[in-house]
Structures are given as structure tokens and as C-alpha cells.
Amino acid sequence: MTTQQVVAPEYLFFEAERERRFMTGSEAVREAIKRANVDMAISYPITPQSESMHLVGDIYAQGYLKEYFRGESEFAVMAAVAGAAMGGVRVFTATAGPGTLRAFEMFPTWAGARLPVVCAFLTRGINSPLTIQPDTIEMAFLLDTGILMFHAENAQDLYDMILKAFVVAEQTDVHIPVGVFADGFFVTHTREEVAVAPADLKLPPYNPYSAPVPVMDMENVPVRQMRDPFVMKSNFISYAAHASWQQEILAAQERARKHVRRYLGGLLDTEHPEAAVLVVAAGTAVSQGREAVAAARREGLDVGLVKLKSLRPFPREELRALARQARALIVPEFNRVGWLAREIKSVVEDTTKVIDAPRVFGGMTMPPDLILDQIRRCYA
Amino acid sequence: MSKGLFKISPGFEDVMPAEYKELVTNGPYGRDLGISDLGTFKELIEEHPLCAGCAEALALRLILASLPNPEDTVIVGSTGCSSLLFPQVAVQNIHSLFGNQNAVATGLKRALRLRFPDKVKDVAVIAGDGATVDIGLDMVMQSWFRRELITTIMLDNEVYANTGGQESGMSPQGAVLNMAPLGKKFPKVNLPEIAREAGCAYVATISPALPRRLGKVVRRAILVAREIGPSYVQIFCPCPTNFKWPSAQVLQKIRDRQKEGIFKVREYVSPEAEAYLARLEVVKQHDEEQ
Ligand code: SF4
């Protein structure tokens, strides 16, 4: 193992000279964790995630992490991750599709317990019938669990977003979990050039006493307390405490905006934002959108691209402003339900501008031509 | 834990709740107290909302009085009657979800070992039979297979009590309970045997009708889990409310069941645990003689 030196997050993210390497998304996860000063990682295999947690195990063997083990199911892993975070260590795990749903009860629990867990969701279709194909439907289920959600377009994003996720999650005024999403196979199993910081640099360690709630270590007051909302039945205090706690989690998401802007350079990126027609996408749909936009512009059509990087917090104001001046927003998605179009419709003033197509699912790839057809229709 | 942690900041003496002040001045932290000292110190548990006569409440009180190291113990609970009582306990405690207590405790124990390599930090799971034997059995057993250094204590009230009296894996065969309209079809799950087979170095069954013995068992279980391997304690504390017994009769019912041989006090100590406990005894005697 390379001896590592702790550097400021800003230096690691923005200043350290990067080396360009050819790697898969799974390897980008490994490279991020290598530099993230993670104390513990807990794994459970599920395609297409398995390779990434296997690679994290390899760097544990090399000494980059202090603890690593395979749990007994996704639910158990997410529970053990919660225990570790409550015990005051920086902890990482990853899952996908059916694993996400098996573990589901834990995600709002992480958020409710103010745990700064970082989890990579390397998305996949949900049964039945059995599938291992790429699909982003699991993200629809996670939108309202209280976790922050970043969506990577490619391996580079995955590397950057995982590292930055720890820093955003651990801010005292945020201190809630972050899910970093990447489309299974398209990102995890595809090799591309990724620029990574030197392996001898790492993030500063997590300070568990930066948490806005007590760490469960019997080293800090109070001890006569309850970490979780009261459950006493038919009790006005119970209702008031739980309701205000839920609002506090939402407020923590709101407070995350400034940190996401600082570290991710904004909640969204744009290309030709002044265009009359905008393709608005997240994840690998952005890449297809970019292809389609380039083709359409060659045809002389006035089209721009909006890449959403953060879905929670959602770039509400940014999208509303973009939608105000655009004639149409085309939302291509890799899922059946069209959750992203729904989200966009929930914030723009004129929902008739939102074209919730094209949509592919069940593992189908998205030919940029499908997006191009939608663009042409706007000009027909 | 630093004992100074419990000092009240100067100027705040008047506004601190009375029971907190009592905990600071007369709590059990760092004093090596046990069940025979009950009544002489401020207990770790405050008043609680469990039913009158609840054997589980008594068991928990006895467990807390027996912790060898309360100032460095974190307890992990699960959903059930006992989770209503945890907020009043003066050690840090986690209620995560239903059935995942041993998985949470696994992560917690490993985290505390990383952060405090030179300090003893005990992690004890205290959960009901539904959480331990039914919904959580996978995670309970897997923590034993992995030899996690945690103590698992089951409060066996023989029923899903908090949700209104449904049969559990630990309900007696034939008992007519909610969701067992024709009587429960299979016998109590033999978790002590399973625990032994699954790798626990110390396994015991006990009841709050035998308080001193319960204290000894809990202590031994926690000590074994410090160094040797996982430990399991099953505490027989049937629910008077759902079995419809007058509150005052619970302990008698437990004694009757013991007499009938339906509930048996048992203890299994692995050879390594035996040797370790004997070693601790020798050290303790030596210390006392000094
Ligand atoms: S329902 Fe039963 S187990 Fe629960 S608090 Fe009441 S007596 Fe105790």
C-alpha cells in the first residue's frame, strides 16, 4: 500500500494533479474509496455491483481500510453500516436493484438517524421476471427516503461524486446519507478514461463529534436519551417530535445545496442553456442526450442539454428558470415510470412543456435517434 | 468513558432534572455494583411505560444492574415492548428496526473496536423473542457464525406483546393467540441449542425469579463476549397482559413453570470460556486480597 497523506478536500478535488487512467466504473469506485479515508466497508454481492465491493475488499487487504466484511443480506449490511456509523466511523457500501429493495427499510432509517453513510447504487432492473439488465427504476423508490442522491453519467462522475459525497454528507449542518447512483453495466462494466488524484493523498478522517446527534460510544453526553423519535402511542409529543424531525431531515437536504454547489460545481450542468428546446437528463441518458443534441445542432436545430447531477436536493430553481425561457423540455429516461419527468413537472410552471419521452427499460439501450426524433417533432 | 462526563456544568445545578443529578452523584458508573447492591444506588433505568407486573421490565432492570461496565456499555434493542423502555435507560442505546439488532450491533462493535482499541467497550443486544427468533433469526445466527464479540439477550415473553398478542416462535405449543386461532402448531424454538451449535461460547437460560443467578449469568455472558466469542442469554419473562394473568402472579407463574420442568435453568460454557472465566475469578480474588 502507498503511504497516504491527508490533504484538504479542496486540494484533493480541485488542485492535485490528476493522472488519466483507463478503467471501468467498478474500478473508479475502488479508486475513490482508496482516497476517501474510509474506516469500514461492508459488502454483499449483487450484479452489477459485486465487482466494485470485491475491489474495495482488495484494497482493504492492501491496508487502505481498517475493516471489511461480507454481511448476510443487503438488509443486514445496511443495518451493520448503520451500527458502524452510529459508532462513529466513516463507512461505505454499495448495492443494486433487488438488493436496494431488500434493504429498503434502512434508507429512511439512515436519514432519520442522521448517519453520513455513503452508498453507491449501481442500478439494475427489479424483478419479476428475473432481470440483471440496466434500469433506473430503483431510484424512483428512493426519492423520498431523505437521503441525498447524486447521479453519475460515467466512471469519472462516479469517482468524483463518491469522494465528494463523504464531504457533503459529513457537514454538521447536513449529516445525512448520500446515495451515489450510476447506471449498472453502462457505467460499471464499461472502460473509459478517468482522471484520478494521486493515490498517496486522502481525505481528512471523519470526526464523529461533528455529528448533530450523539455518537453511540459512551464518550459523550447525553446518555439518558433516545436516538430515534419517540414511539409512545397516542401522544401529542410523539407526533410533534416525529413531524418536526421529518422536517429537519428535509431542512438538512436544503442546507446541503450550498455544499453540493461548492463541491460538485452546481446541481446541474448545461450546454446551450439559451436554446428553445432542452434535453434534460440524468445518468447515462445524458450521454445519449449529448449525441442527439450534437446531431440536431448539425441539422440547424436550436437545442441545448441539461445534465442533472443532484436529484436530492433537486435543482428546483435552476430548472424553473431554464423552463421559463424554453419551448420544450425533452426528458429521456432508462425506466418505465418516468420518475425524472414527474420530478421536473413538479417544479416547472408550465407542465405542458415537459415531454416525458423517450423511455427505454428492461435493459434496452437508448439509440440517440429516439431523442433526435423528439427534438425534430418540436420543430415539425 | 470519562467519569467527568457526568459532571454538571457549573451554574446548571438548579435546572438539571432531579433524576439526572441523582445519576451524577449516585449512579453505578465505575463502581462495580451488582444485583445485591440494588437499593443502594441510582439505577440506570428511570420510570417506564410497561404494564404493571411485566416480567420483562423486571428482567431489564436486573440486566442493567448486572452490567459489569455500564460506563462503557452500549445496548442495542429492537422493536417490541422493550423498545418503549429503552429511552429511559441511562446508557447509550440504539433502537434501529425490527430484527436487525445483531447486524446493527456487529457494525457498532467493530466501529468501537476501531476507535477505542485500548478500551473495553461492551455491546449487548437486548431484544424480544419476535425480534430474536422470528424476524431476526438470520441476522442473530449469522452474527454468531461470524463470532462477533457481542452478547445477545432475548427477553422471552412468549408472544408478540407490543403488537397485541400474536403467536411467536417462542409461544408454547397449543397456545391460542392472535394469529394462532386454532392454537400454535409447533413447539418453542430451541434457541439455546442453536446458539451453542452456531458458535456461542456462553449460553444460558434464566428468569427474573432468580435475580442473583440472572445477575451472574449476564455478567459472565458479557465478560465472555469481550474476549472469547459471542454469548447468548435467554430470559424467561412471560407477558402477563397477553396471557391474562393478574400482574402480581407473574413470578409465581414462572416458578410454577420451572417446577413443572417446562422452563429449565441451563448454562453452557465452552472450554475456552470456562478457562477465561476461571482466570478472571483468580484475578478478582487476588485483587480483593490485596
Ligand atoms: S404487553 Fe406484556 S411484555 Fe409488553 S409490557 Fe405489557 S406485560 Fe410486558
Side-chain angles (χ1 to χ4, degrees):
Chain A
M1 174 199 160
T2 324
T3 314
Q4 289 184 300
Q5 182 197 338
V6 167
V7 291
E10 284 73 9
Y11 182 80
L12 189 68
F13 302 157
F14 308 123
E15 291 163 37
E17 202 166 318
R18 291 191 170 207
E19 185 194 337
R20 305 192 78 81
R21 285 170 43 191
F22 199 52
M23 65 177 77
T24 63
S26 305
E27 287 164 349
V29 173
R30 175 193 64 201
E31 294 308 313
I33 298 307
K34 212 184 239 184
R35 292 156 180 82
N37 205 352
V38 168
D39 296 296
M40 193 187 304
I42 311 176
S43 62
Y44 191 79
I46 184 158
T47 304
Q49 170 275 119
S50 309
E51 191 184 19
S52 62
M53 287 310 289
H54 146 210
L55 295 172
V56 170
D58 287 353
I59 59 168
Y60 158 72
Q62 291 163 21
Y64 287 94
L65 293 89
K66 301 189 193 93
E67 181 69 288
Y68 171 94
F69 70 101
R70 175 197 57 78
E72 59 269 40
S73 73
E74 288 87 352
F75 177 53
V77 164
M78 301 313 166
V81 159
M86 288 181 191
V89 299
R90 183 177 288 157
V91 57
F92 176 75
T93 189
T95 189
T100 301
L101 267 73
R102 178 156 298 191
F104 207 85
E105 196 182 0
M106 284 312 299
F107 304 125
T109 301
W110 286 355
R114 306 295 298 265
L115 305 177
V117 172
V118 173
C119 178
F121 295 87
L122 305 167
T123 65
R124 150 182 172 183
I126 304 290
N127 307 332
S128 189
L130 177 62
T131 176
I132 59 162
Q133 299 298 324
D135 195 305
T136 61
I137 197 168
E138 70 194 277
M139 298 180 69
F141 297 97
L142 284 151
L143 287 166
D144 299 308
T145 52
I147 71 169
L148 301 183
M149 299 171 68
F150 302 159
H151 201 169
E153 180 189 345
N154 48 33
Q156 181 71 61
D157 275 358
L158 188 54
Y159 165 84
D160 285 320
M161 284 176 172
I162 288 175
L163 266 174
K164 291 170 178 176
F166 286 105
V167 176
V168 173
E170 291 167 12
Q171 299 289 329
T172 302
D173 62 346
V174 179
H175 222 277
I176 49 176
V178 181
V180 178
F181 296 76
D183 303 355
F185 294 109
F186 296 146
V187 176
T188 54
H189 288 58
T190 308
R191 214 168 272 281
E192 58 183 286
E193 201 174 68
V194 181
V196 296
D200 60 354
L201 302 182
K202 63 178 175 182
L203 287 178
Y206 171 53
N207 170 14
Y209 300 115
S210 69
V213 288
V215 182
M216 297 290 108
D217 60 3
M218 285 303 279
E219 297 283 335
N220 66 110
V221 287
V223 289
R224 192 178 290 275
Q225 52 81 35
M226 195 177 188
R227 178 78 185 238
D228 312 289
F230 314 109
V231 289
M232 306 310 173
K233 294 166 183 133
S234 314
N235 183 326
F236 173 75
I237 292 172
S238 164
Y239 141 72
H242 195 79
S244 60
W245 193 257
Q246 287 202 35
Q247 291 174 55
E248 167 56 13
I249 302 304
L250 291 177
Q253 285 197 339
E254 289 302 309
R255 293 192 295 264
R257 282 181 196 279
K258 57 183 179 294
H259 304 295
V260 178
R261 287 197 184 104
R262 175 166 175 204
Y263 290 109
L264 264 62
L267 284 75
L268 51 74
D269 286 341
T270 55
E271 292 169 29
H272 309 296
E274 68 298 331
V277 173
L278 295 172
V279 174
V280 189
T284 53
V286 175
S287 304
Q288 277 85 354
R290 193 176 285 110
E291 289 292 313
V293 166
R297 291 184 75 84
R298 282 196 294 273
E299 290 176 19
L301 303 177
D302 182 24
V303 195
L305 179 71
V306 180
K307 164 179 170 168
L308 303 182
K309 295 185 287 189
S310 174
L311 299 162
R312 286 290 180 274
F314 196 59
R316 193 174 47 219
E317 300 305 327
E318 293 90 330
L319 273 170
R320 198 172 288 163
L322 286 164
R324 224 168 262 148
Q325 55 169 48
R327 184 143 58 91
L329 307 176
I330 296 167
V331 189
E333 293 191 57
F334 277 101
N335 66 78
R336 177 180 54 80
V337 298
W339 55 263
L340 183 57
R342 269 190 329 228
E343 289 291 303
I344 294 168
K345 280 183 192 164
S346 76
V347 298
V348 299
E349 280 143 1
D350 181 356
T351 56
T352 61
K353 286 182 179 178
V354 180
I355 299 166
D356 50 359
R359 235 182 260 166
V360 295
F361 43 91
M364 200 179 148
T365 52
M366 188 179 314
D369 278 353
L370 290 182
I371 307 172
L372 191 56
D373 283 350
Q374 293 295 339
I375 299 171
R376 286 195 190 115
R377 249 181 248 179
C378 294
Y379 285 96
Chain B
M1 174 178 88
S2 139
K3 306 290 175 308
L5 200 61
F6 285 93
K7 290 215 181 80
I8 293 171
S9 304
F12 282 83
E13 296 84 355
D14 295 352
V15 292
M16 291 304 286
E19 86 274 2
Y20 195 88
K21 283 194 272 190
E22 212 192 333
L23 199 60
V24 173
T25 54
N26 203 23
Y29 308 112
R31 290 172 59 197
D32 197 25
L33 299 171
I35 281 176
S36 46
D37 305 299
L38 272 171
T40 70
F41 64 96
K42 171 67 181 175
E43 289 178 49
L44 291 173
I45 185 160
E46 199 51 46
E47 73 276 9
H48 59 75
L50 268 50
C51 309
C54 176
E56 193 173 275
L58 175 57
L60 192 76
R61 187 177 161 210
L62 296 172
I63 294 166
L64 291 167
S66 327
L67 296 176
N69 186 27
E71 63 276 17
D72 281 302
T73 302
V74 182
I75 59 179
V76 182
S78 198
T79 300
C81 292
S82 60
S83 62
L84 300 179
L85 181 147
F86 268 50
Q88 280 83 2
V89 171
V91 296
Q92 287 182 334
N93 57 82
I94 295 169
H95 166 249
S96 184
L97 295 173
F98 193 30
N100 66 347
Q101 61 279 355
N102 283 57
V104 172
T106 296
L108 176 72
K109 176 72 188 190
R110 289 180 184 233
L112 296 178
R113 273 159 72 91
L114 288 184
R115 289 186 55 221
F116 305 99
D118 305 322
K119 225 174 182 186
V120 171
K121 293 276 179 188
D122 294 322
V123 172
V125 165
I126 306 175
D129 42 317
T132 308
V133 108
D134 295 317
I135 193 171
L137 183 60
D138 169 25
M139 284 169 274
V140 169
M141 278 180 67
Q142 296 277 353
S143 76
W144 295 339
F145 294 155
R146 288 195 306 265
R147 305 292 191 264
E148 303 291 347
L149 294 174
I150 54 183
T151 302
T152 304
I153 301 176
M154 183 218 278
L155 300 170
D156 175 19
N157 64 4
E158 300 202 300
V159 68
Y160 283 82
N162 192 47
T163 41
Q166 295 81 22
E167 67 152 297
S168 88
M170 298 304 287
S171 302
Q173 184 161 16
V176 175
L177 288 157
N178 294 339
M179 299 190 188
L182 299 177
K184 193 189 170 216
K185 301 283 190 206
F186 61 99
K188 272 178 89 98
V189 175
N190 190 348
L191 197 57
E193 270 315 294
I194 295 172
R196 197 170 57 81
E197 290 291 322
C200 284
Y202 180 87
V203 179
T205 56
I206 191 68
S207 87
L210 300 159
R212 273 173 211 271
R213 213 132 157 220
L214 186 149
K216 193 172 170 204
V217 158
V218 167
R219 236 179 146 78
R220 283 157 76 88
I222 288 180
L223 293 174
V224 166
R226 263 183 207 167
E227 299 218 358
I228 308 299
S231 56
Y232 172 62
V233 177
Q234 183 167 309
I235 302 185
F236 181 55
C237 46
C239 162
T241 302
N242 283 291
F243 288 104
K244 307 201 170 39
W245 303 330
S247 335
Q249 284 180 17
V250 182
L251 288 180
Q252 194 50 50
K253 294 273 183 194
I254 295 175
R255 286 189 199 104
D256 292 348
R257 292 277 291 273
Q258 196 179 341
K259 238 179 254 156
E260 291 157 23
I262 302 168
F263 158 67
K264 293 189 188 78
V265 176
R266 289 193 288 172
E267 193 181 43
Y268 160 77
V269 193
S270 77
E272 293 102 312
E274 187 93 62
Y276 168 73
L277 289 170
R279 213 159 57 233
L280 289 183
E281 273 309 309
V282 171
V283 173
K284 199 175 171 208
Q285 263 170 21
H286 179 263
D287 287 352
E288 277 164 8
E289 282 159 19
Q290 290 298 299

